[in-house]
Amino acid sequence: MEKLRFEEMQLSEEIKKAVAIMGFEEASPIQSQAIPILMDGKDIIGQAQTGTGKTAAFGIPILEKVNASDNSVQALILCPTRELSIQVSQEIIKLAKFKRGISILPIYGGQPIDRQIKALKKGVQIVVGTPGRVIDHINRRTLKLGNVSMMVLDEADEMFDMGFRDDIELVMNKLHADRQTIFFSATMPPVIRKFAERYQNNPEFIKVVHKEMTVPSVEQAYFELKQHMKTEILSRLIDIHNPKLLLVFCNTKRKVDELTGELQARGYSVDALHGDLKQNQRDNVMGKFRKGAIDILVATDVAARGLDVDDVDMVINYDMPQDEEYYVHRIGRTARAGRDGAAFSFVSGREIYKLKDIQKYTKTKIERRDLPTLKDIKEQYTDTILGKIREGIDSEEPNTHSALIDTLLQEEYNSFDIASALLKMYLEENKMIENHQELDMVDKDKKQKSSGTSTRVHVNVGKEQGISPRHLLSAIFQETGLSKKLIGNIDVYDKFTFMEIEGNYADVVMNGLNGKTIKGQKIRIERASEKKKKRK
């Protein structure tokens, strides 16, 4: 089936606007098939893996059908784990951004139940939860299911494997018979089909069928990392491998723009390509990339379809693709015309399951690599310099600097001292290493050490904005990867905060946090001494 653009679907303007802000250009295969059927009120049993976009496939119809003026629970989504419950609820909250009066609540074990009871009493239309905690609320009569018109079982096979079958049956038997029931499962064993028959009414069976595709013989590897590390690790790979032309894929237009800005700020020759650009703008960007006027192109899958370049020697999946076929299309952009090529993927959290699906689909082994460290960059940098020196020595071209060297030798400087001084000057002028931030648990060989001096900085938020030291420390780690050991006293006042930061790392913190948002407040940090000067 052909993939649909969200604008082509019969959806509300609020949903279309939310999807546009999230940056998605077209529906994934599972979304293209499931959304129209669910909007018609039919049951579905869908075979789809994690990462195919199935949350939006059932989340969008739920949001379109829920009555915002009714505060009772109208949709229930069961998930096997607390992590998936949180992930699903966060995704639906984003989709509901412009839907007024709709409340979504995740309920799971490990979180205080009193907080969940309080939220349920206020009124919630959509509940996302694990079977155990949902049953707990049913037994306490804090979760009433009498008005539930849509029921979703997400990752049904995993819930069955974890022994939740009896719990699921208990929940299903509490619902009225004319509800709409949606099952999603990565595999479809007979036990799940039989179970579905008992609780569904003439369901439509949906399975994303992949075409047979030839996987190009390129070097394939993946890096397991946290989300906040991605841009730094991408920069390290660029500096270590120094690709002639690099194509970086993101899943959304918004992320393409964000990443392009981050790379430009680091001094890379980079441009963006996505569906919001006019055709002449896209042609201009693709032309510059083909000619080598820019080295790096950050793109979405849809925008890159018309890109035909033979010289791309590296592809990086900054975001894991939503569909296995997208992966094959992406890596096929490199190693053309018999050239060598490499394809690297960034895998974060539950995306490891998506990677396994890709390996199964492509019938190839994608090897795991260790994250590149600052030491790796230095070694590569040193090798590059030594290579250039050897080329210079071996070159038959006349050396125009011989007279200068002779002068120094006559002044009784030996050749070793001259070479050391020149190399030091060269390294100081080419500060590639300083463009990189240290990452905890990656740069183990070079611990973040105190310099013995600290810098006092002024932050434009305080107690009145609900800020505490832990909020600032959490933001610093998320945005920079720096250890909290490098942060000294944090004095939070009513309208501002002072922080002590080890002198070597003050700029890293300011660059990482300036312009970011903490608890709804845009952060501005500057050295305390500079703040005083401005007041004078």
Side-chain angles (χ1 to χ4, degrees):
M1 178 185 176
E2 213 174 293
K3 302 184 192 83
L4 301 174
R5 295 183 74 87
F6 285 103
E7 298 86 41
E8 299 168 346
M9 295 184 179
Q10 299 300 310
L11 302 174
S12 66
E13 289 305 312
E14 294 94 335
I15 290 292
K16 286 180 181 178
K17 193 175 175 184
V19 168
I21 284 179
M22 290 168 76
F24 294 112
E25 294 185 303
E26 68 178 10
S28 70
I30 196 73
Q31 292 163 359
S32 297
Q33 295 182 63
I35 291 174
I37 295 171
L38 292 177
M39 291 295 287
D40 283 344
K42 297 176 182 175
D43 289 357
I44 274 181
I45 180 162
Q47 189 168 349
Q49 289 82 16
T50 301
T52 54
K54 57 187 168 63
T55 301
F58 60 73
I60 288 174
I62 286 174
L63 290 169
E64 296 286 49
K65 287 168 174 282
V66 158
N67 181 1
S69 60
D70 179 357
N71 282 333
S72 66
V73 178
Q74 299 165 51
L76 176 63
I77 303 162
L78 287 186
C79 302
T81 64
R82 57 176 289 178
E83 290 79 16
L84 187 60
S85 299
I86 294 168
Q87 185 181 315
V88 167
S89 63
Q90 286 175 341
E91 182 83 358
I92 297 175
I93 286 168
K94 288 178 188 174
L95 291 165
K97 183 178 176 70
F98 300 103
K99 287 275 191 180
R100 292 180 179 273
I102 295 180
S103 182
I104 299 106
L105 179 70
I107 58 174
Y108 48 84
Q111 186 187 53
I113 198 165
D114 292 345
R115 193 188 307 165
Q116 296 172 1
I117 292 171
K118 191 176 178 182
L120 286 166
K121 282 181 179 177
K122 279 185 180 178
V124 174
Q125 289 96 353
I126 303 168
V127 168
V128 186
T130 52
R133 182 54 66 98
V134 166
I135 288 172
D136 196 351
H137 280 288
I138 290 171
N139 291 337
R140 291 169 182 258
R141 298 186 178 177
T142 51
L143 176 60
K144 298 178 176 67
L145 304 180
N147 287 336
V148 170
S149 59
M150 294 185 80
M151 171 71 196
V152 180
L153 256 63
D154 194 10
E155 300 197 1
D157 53 351
E158 194 169 330
M159 281 195 276
F160 272 55
D161 289 344
M162 293 168 73
F164 286 136
R165 176 173 177 154
D166 291 344
D167 292 344
I168 295 168
E169 283 186 331
L170 191 153
V171 174
M172 299 294 288
N173 290 332
K174 296 283 183 182
L175 304 173
H176 56 75
D178 60 345
R179 69 185 178 272
Q180 188 175 6
T181 308
I182 302 120
F183 283 8
F184 275 109
S185 185
T187 59
M188 206 56 64
V191 65
I192 290 179
R193 280 182 173 276
K194 212 168 185 181
F195 185 86
E197 285 173 10
R198 289 174 54 197
Y199 293 102
Q200 288 188 303
N201 180 30
N202 297 321
E204 295 268 355
F205 182 72
I206 293 176
K207 181 180 180 181
V208 179
V209 180
H210 295 293
K211 296 176 288 186
E212 285 294 320
M213 302 183 76
T214 304
V215 182
S217 55
V218 301
E219 177 191 353
Q220 297 178 63
Y222 75 94
F223 297 92
E224 213 166 340
L225 74 180
K226 294 180 179 178
Q227 283 287 340
H228 75 272
M229 295 179 176
K230 283 186 173 182
T231 303
E232 172 60 25
I233 295 301
L234 173 61
S235 300
R236 295 184 184 189
L237 290 172
I238 294 168
D239 288 343
I240 288 170
H241 294 277
N242 193 27
K244 182 180 177 183
L245 290 180
L246 167 65
L247 190 51
V248 182
F249 281 101
C250 300
N251 287 345
T252 67
K253 295 176 283 189
R254 184 177 179 181
K255 178 51 70 178
V256 166
D257 286 334
E258 284 178 6
L259 180 57
T260 301
E262 289 171 359
L263 292 176
Q264 285 172 343
R266 289 175 178 239
Y268 296 107
S269 173
V270 56
D271 214 333
L273 188 69
H274 57 63
D276 277 358
L277 299 177
K278 293 177 182 176
Q279 189 59 49
N280 64 330
Q281 291 175 309
R282 289 164 70 176
D283 291 342
N284 183 40
V285 171
M286 287 192 283
K288 286 193 291 183
F289 189 59
R290 284 192 188 97
K291 294 171 187 173
I294 53 172
D295 308 322
I296 304 166
L297 186 63
V298 184
T300 58
D301 293 285
V302 176
R305 280 179 189 164
L307 186 66
D308 188 18
V309 181
D310 285 338
D311 292 338
V312 175
D313 45 6
M314 185 179 292
V315 168
I316 292 182
N317 295 309
Y318 188 92
D319 293 327
M320 287 296 286
Q322 283 195 322
D323 187 70
E324 287 92 336
E325 288 180 17
Y326 281 171
Y327 177 84
V328 178
H329 285 305
R330 286 180 181 187
I331 69 171
R333 301 285 175 184
T334 186
R336 293 188 173 187
R339 295 180 176 87
D340 292 331
F344 299 138
S345 299
F346 291 169
V347 177
S348 180
R350 290 179 62 84
E351 289 175 344
I352 194 70
Y353 298 111
K354 180 79 242 171
L355 182 85
K356 289 177 180 175
D357 292 333
I358 288 169
Q359 290 186 98
K360 186 177 177 182
Y361 170 59
T362 59
K363 299 181 178 65
T364 54
K365 172 73 174 170
I366 304 173
E367 66 173 37
R368 184 183 184 278
R369 296 267 178 91
D370 290 333
L371 295 173
T373 65
L374 292 179
K375 184 181 177 183
D376 295 330
I377 297 176
K378 286 180 179 177
E379 288 174 353
Q380 177 64 34
Y381 192 35
T382 302
D383 289 344
T384 302
I385 291 167
L386 290 173
K388 287 181 178 178
I389 292 171
R390 291 187 185 104
E391 282 179 20
I393 294 170
D394 295 338
S395 174
E396 294 180 0
E397 294 179 13
N399 191 334
T400 56
H401 306 295
S402 301
L404 181 60
I405 302 296
D406 281 339
T407 302
L408 292 170
L409 288 170
Q410 287 171 18
E411 292 176 10
E412 298 186 354
Y413 291 104
N414 65 50
S415 56
F416 182 83
D417 290 337
I418 295 169
S420 296
L422 291 172
L423 193 55
K424 183 186 177 189
M425 287 168 60
Y426 178 83
L427 291 171
E428 285 176 351
E429 286 180 12
N430 294 273
K431 298 179 179 179
M432 185 176 76
I433 303 300
E434 293 185 12
N435 291 331
H436 293 278
Q437 302 169 0
E438 287 190 340
L439 297 171
D440 280 355
M441 306 307 294
V442 177
D443 305 312
K444 297 176 185 175
D445 57 320
K446 185 180 177 185
K447 304 271 187 201
Q448 294 165 346
K449 294 178 182 176
S450 168
S451 63
T453 61
S454 63
T455 300
R456 187 173 165 86
V457 299
H458 175 277
V459 191
N460 67 321
V461 290
K463 291 176 184 174
E464 289 184 3
Q465 289 78 33
I467 297 297
S468 69
R470 70 181 176 83
H471 293 122
L472 291 166
L473 287 171
S474 175
I476 288 168
F477 178 73
Q478 288 295 323
E479 298 297 336
T480 70
L482 291 179
S483 167
K484 63 182 180 181
K485 293 176 184 177
L486 298 173
I487 312 300
N489 292 331
I490 301 178
D491 300 317
V492 183
Y493 296 91
D494 288 342
K495 295 184 178 179
F496 57 87
T497 299
F498 284 114
M499 283 195 302
E500 299 284 344
I501 303 170
E502 288 301 328
N504 295 343
Y505 296 97
D507 287 334
V508 174
V509 172
M510 288 190 288
N511 291 337
L513 262 64
N514 265 324
K516 300 296 181 184
T517 301
I518 301 177
K519 297 205 76 176
Q521 300 293 319
K522 199 168 186 178
I523 300 301
R524 190 175 67 253
I525 305 180
E526 52 193 331
R527 284 180 170 79
S529 56
E530 292 174 2
K531 183 74 179 172
K532 287 179 183 176
K533 286 176 189 174
K534 287 180 182 178
R535 284 178 176 172
K536 287 181 180 178

